[in-house]
Amino acid sequence: MASQNLQPVPEALSPEDQERAAQLEAEGQAYFDRVMSDDSRIEPKDWMPAAYRKTLLRQISQHAHSEIIGMQPEANWISRAPSLKRKAILMAKVQDEAGHGLYLYSAAETLGQSRDKMMDDLIAGKARYSSIFNYPALTWADMGAIGWLVDGAAICNQVPLCRASFGPYGRAMVRICKEESFHQRQGFEILLELSNGTPAQKQMAQDAVNRWYAPALMMFGPPDDDSPNSKQSMAWNIKRFSNDELRSRFVGMMVEQVRVLGLTLPDSEVRFNEETKKWEHGPLDWEEFKEVLAGRGPCNAQRLERRREAHDDGAWVRVAAAAYAEKQLAKQARKHAEKEYAA
Amino acid sequence: MNPNDEVSTSSTSVWPLWEVFVRSSRGLSHVHAGSLHAPDAAMALRNARDLYTRRNEGVSIWVVPADAIAASDPDAKGSFFESPQGKDYRHATYYTKSEGVKHL
Ligand SMILES: [Fe+2]
Ligand SMILES: [Fe+2]
Ligand SMILES: [Fe+2]
């Protein structure tokens, strides 16, 4: 349930009120700390530290924006899907991503942020979303590579988030994870079919994997020693594993799966470190990552422009629906009044 | 000011929040699935169908205006739910003497 939790701060507090507020704060903090140490869940109406609320709000809204913007690279290929079956599958996937965005906006709203504010921030270019969606989808094989690598990385990231300490976020993630597995499998299948096709098709599949591999690895975020907020997020039981830990796991899974595809990963330095028992990969271009995140990636402007366009195109629908609802309400009220009068 | 500002203020902000409850199959209760914004109940139901039952997750949906729900006060955690505490005898497990007796 979305509850407006942000209590207005009174102008000036009397000493008694100040004392009372401090006491409530201390009680709230104690309760919060207990929930954390029990690995239990915080719900929207519970007391929570302001920084916890802020961190969650940023993370959940950015996640929601990513799902919404993430529809675009694939939606662009719906009209060019090679068969009716693939078209139907792609539409279902893109529709799922819209759903994921809506689940997450709802979760963010429970922290006291209005949906309009989030929408406006996204459209105004003030909000961040995953850098991965600022890369172009050049060929049909990209639909395969996106499903396999991008949704695959997302799943790896999101499964531990099902246990995030904030109830609404965890619950949204459970629903999302259930739906994501089809996304990855359909992508894998696209690549497998291309890989078993003509040499040109196989080359197209390999080319798509080559282009999406590094950006997908960067989806887990900067390396641990350059990720200042990670520690706090882990202390708050929002994050369960570090960026590098998740990235390493993901690489391990991809190594096996790429063999089944009959393709290769564009990374000669992938290896299993027997000492650390972790998968390692070659260097990633973190400068590029920062550039894309800062809005200077290949498709940032295009993605935002498209989002704005879609929002404006939908304006008349929103206006009409609101007007209709108002009319119905007035009609009902009139009927009610007539009944009263007759009785 | 850009013309879009006007559009967005008249978008979802006037649409109330609805809580969605889905009955997953006959014989089971409706369970809270999530929430959504919609201008009226009919639209809320349609949106709920599209948002929460894309994979046969339900045979029936309820939508309830979020502000029509009364909730217990989270700060009253202790006192509000105090009464069952210390009343173990309300549970079958309290009665241990009958252990091993069949069909009891
Ligand atoms: Fe998604
Ligand atoms: Fe996602
Ligand atoms: Fe997905």
Side-chain angles (χ1 to χ4, degrees):
Chain A
M1 234 176 293
S3 61
Q4 303 297 312
N5 249 0
L6 305 175
Q7 276 142 15
V9 180
E11 300 269 294
L13 286 174
S14 67
E16 300 92 71
D17 284 349
Q18 266 177 23
E19 202 176 300
R20 175 91 191 108
Q23 192 197 336
L24 279 178
E25 179 102 354
E27 277 169 20
Q29 184 71 53
Y31 176 74
F32 181 84
D33 292 344
R34 215 172 327 122
V35 167
M36 289 300 131
S37 64
D38 292 350
D39 198 356
S40 181
R41 300 291 178 267
I42 287 290
E43 292 297 338
K45 286 187 172 176
D46 290 335
W47 185 94
M48 59 185 96
Y52 176 82
R53 183 188 300 275
K54 202 174 149 200
T55 297
L56 275 170
L57 194 52
R58 195 186 50 220
Q59 180 169 340
I60 301 173
S61 62
Q62 283 180 3
H63 195 161
H65 296 326
S66 303
E67 302 285 350
I68 296 300
I69 295 290
M71 291 194 279
Q72 292 186 33
E74 290 172 297
N76 288 342
W77 277 92
I78 290 175
S79 62
R80 292 173 285 172
S83 68
L84 196 55
K85 180 182 98 172
R86 289 289 166 201
K87 196 191 287 270
I89 292 173
L90 201 52
M91 282 201 292
K93 181 178 188 290
V94 171
Q95 193 190 11
D96 273 357
E97 306 300 4
H100 297 174
L102 294 177
Y103 305 154
L104 288 162
Y105 281 130
S106 289
E109 273 180 284
T110 68
L111 290 161
Q113 179 78 285
S114 83
R115 189 168 304 205
D116 277 1
K117 173 82 173 72
M118 292 186 271
M119 294 281 177
D120 290 348
D121 283 352
L122 176 61
I123 285 174
K126 283 192 248 169
R128 281 188 168 180
Y129 54 86
S130 180
S131 60
I132 192 84
F133 301 116
N134 291 316
Y135 291 88
L138 301 178
T139 71
W140 170 250
D142 287 42
M143 296 304 98
I146 289 176
W148 180 51
L149 290 169
V150 176
D151 288 85
I155 292 170
C156 228
N157 227 340
Q158 290 169 355
V159 167
L161 286 173
C162 295
R163 293 189 290 127
S165 59
F166 186 57
Y169 192 30
R171 292 191 285 275
M173 292 319 308
V174 168
R175 197 170 281 280
I176 288 175
C177 285
K178 268 189 206 155
E179 301 181 353
E180 287 291 354
S181 56
F182 126 65
H183 298 181
Q184 195 184 17
R185 284 191 182 197
Q186 64 86 37
F188 185 88
E189 211 183 275
I190 289 174
L191 288 177
L192 190 64
E193 273 176 32
L194 289 173
S195 180
N196 292 328
T198 65
Q201 285 173 327
K202 182 166 184 173
Q203 183 49 45
M204 186 165 82
Q206 183 64 59
D207 172 64
V209 170
N210 291 351
R211 281 182 290 106
W212 288 95
Y213 171 76
L217 290 198
M218 290 197 276
M219 283 173 70
F220 295 95
D224 292 348
D225 48 25
D226 191 24
S227 179
N229 301 326
S230 277
K231 244 197 175 148
Q232 180 61 75
S233 281
M234 285 173 81
W236 278 331
N237 297 338
I238 298 172
K239 232 173 135 61
R240 299 286 178 167
F241 303 100
S242 79
N243 296 352
D244 288 334
E245 166 73 35
L246 290 169
R247 187 166 19 244
S248 155
R249 273 193 212 175
F250 178 65
V251 169
M253 293 184 229
M254 295 303 104
V255 167
E256 280 195 25
Q257 294 174 9
V258 81
R259 271 191 226 122
V260 183
L261 287 175
L263 301 172
T264 56
L265 296 178
D267 186 344
S268 56
E269 291 174 57
V270 166
R271 68 178 194 114
F272 186 70
N273 185 327
E274 284 295 346
E275 261 163 52
T276 60
K277 300 282 171 215
K278 284 191 179 11
W279 283 92
E280 293 175 352
H281 54 83
L284 295 165
D285 186 350
W286 292 108
E287 277 316 304
E288 176 185 301
F289 178 78
K290 281 174 194 159
E291 279 295 291
V292 178
L293 212 55
R296 293 183 288 272
C299 298
N300 296 58
Q302 180 191 330
R303 299 289 185 244
L304 275 190
E305 186 48 41
R306 180 70 199 104
R307 180 83 278 281
R308 249 174 242 135
E309 235 174 61
H311 190 75
D312 292 348
D313 287 351
W316 72 270
V317 180
R318 294 192 295 276
V319 169
Y324 179 78
E326 222 167 274
K327 240 186 185 169
Q328 290 301 103
L329 217 61
K331 213 169 161 183
Q332 256 172 27
R334 218 168 36 240
K335 256 195 201 151
H336 191 76
E338 275 165 19
K339 244 199 212 150
E340 295 267 285
Y341 183 72
Chain B
M1 189 177 140
N2 110 28
N4 299 343
D5 291 350
E6 222 171 285
V7 168
S8 52
T9 44
S10 64
S11 60
T12 48
S13 57
V14 291
W15 289 7
L17 188 69
W18 301 78
E19 297 299 334
V20 179
F21 299 81
V22 175
R23 184 202 293 285
S24 58
S25 70
R26 289 188 163 275
L28 296 178
S29 311
H30 287 76
V31 172
H32 185 237
S35 49
L36 51 78
H37 288 274
D40 56 31
M43 283 284 278
L45 275 173
R46 279 164 188 269
N47 290 354
R49 175 199 59 194
D50 293 345
L51 193 52
Y52 292 106
T53 62
R54 289 195 299 284
R55 290 176 174 78
N56 281 323
E57 289 97 335
V59 294
S60 162
I61 300 176
W62 289 345
V63 291
V64 182
D67 59 13
I69 294 177
S72 60
D73 179 2
D75 295 330
K77 248 164 222 114
S79 51
F80 193 73
F81 297 104
E82 212 157 55
S83 117
Q85 255 158 45
K87 293 176 185 168
D88 307 1
Y89 47 82
R90 284 179 172 169
H91 297 274
T93 48
Y94 176 80
Y95 304 90
T96 51
K97 289 191 179 148
S98 45
E99 235 164 60
V101 181
K102 280 187 180 168
H103 307 301
L104 191 72

